[in-house]
Every structure is written in structure tokens, then in C-alpha cells.
Amino acid sequence: MPRPEECRFTPEHEWIYPDGEGAVVGITDFAQQELGDIVYLNLGESGRSVKVGDELGEIESVKAVAEFYAPASGEIVAINADLADHPEKVNQDPFGGGWLVRIKLADASSLSQLMDFASYKKFLEESAH
């Protein structure tokens, strides 16, 4: 699985890692810390087409319910079914076993519009003030 330095990021704290024709999507370490202990995920169904910004599903924690969104357009080709029984993996390993969905990208070049790791870190620092 990716290292954060290899991913692109959205202002809503999703990460996306291009992997061949597709990409893996998850939430950032910052997002999982803000949510607290994750107890349930609704990842939707694979096989559906999504556009940038479409809601992909919901993450329920002890503190809140949060939506997560598509950082790129394409088709959802897989969901992380392991999270149904082990939602805590998102807290434990958000860039590894806690990945959420895999997308077959409609246009891989669209990822260049997202923040790289350095830009995302700067975004977090600026948001904290």
C-alpha cells in the first residue's frame, strides 16, 4: 500500500493512490484522528460510476457520522469488504488495510489537480490557525 508521500489529497481529507489503471482511495490519518474510533462504514456498492465530489459512502465513529467523497471520476471496481467486520483498521492503518474503495479512473491526469503531500501538510497547518 502507498506511503502518504505517494498519494494525492483532497481538502475533505481523502487520499488517492494511482495503481495501474485504477486508484485506491481512503481517508487520511488526520481525518481518522478527528473522527475518533470508527465503528461502522457504509462503502456502497462496486460497479457504480462516480464523478469527482460524489458521495462514496459514510463513516460512523463514536463522535460523528461523516461522508467521504470521490477524489476522481471513474467506476468503483472494489470496496474493502474486510472493513465490515473490522472498521477499526481505518484508525489503525488508514494508508494500508484501512483503504476504502478502488476506482478505475476515467482520466488519470485529473489527479494532478489534487494536492501532493507537501501541499496537503501545508493545507493542514494553515487550517489549524
Side-chain angles (χ1 to χ4, degrees):
M1 290 287 23
R3 295 188 330 270
E5 298 80 13
E6 300 172 312
C7 298
R8 292 290 184 154
F9 299 87
T10 70
E12 294 78 33
H13 310 289
E14 291 96 11
W15 59 263
I16 185 165
Y17 173 69
D19 181 6
E21 285 186 18
V24 180
V25 177
I27 63 168
T28 65
D29 193 46
F30 173 84
Q32 69 81 17
Q33 286 178 19
E34 288 290 299
L35 285 167
D37 292 337
I38 293 170
V39 295
Y40 174 77
L41 293 110
N42 175 0
L43 302 178
E45 299 291 322
S46 60
R48 61 198 160 114
S49 292
V50 296
K51 292 189 176 5
V52 172
D54 284 357
E55 186 179 315
L56 291 180
E58 291 182 336
I59 301 170
E60 187 175 324
S61 74
V62 293
K63 290 199 235 178
V65 175
E67 292 78 29
F68 69 99
Y69 303 95
S73 297
E75 179 186 349
I76 304 299
V77 292
I79 60 169
N80 188 348
D82 195 31
L83 298 179
D85 294 327
H86 303 285
E88 69 279 0
K89 285 187 176 187
V90 177
N91 292 116
Q92 296 165 351
D93 191 12
F95 288 93
W99 66 275
L100 302 176
V101 299
R102 182 177 290 274
I103 295 178
K104 182 177 180 185
L105 297 171
D107 178 11
S109 69
S110 68
L111 299 184
S112 65
Q113 298 169 20
L114 300 173
M115 291 179 274
D116 62 16
F117 187 59
S119 300
Y120 180 68
K121 284 193 339 188
K122 186 175 181 185
F123 171 76
L124 288 178
E125 290 166 9
E126 291 172 353
S127 300
H129 296 109

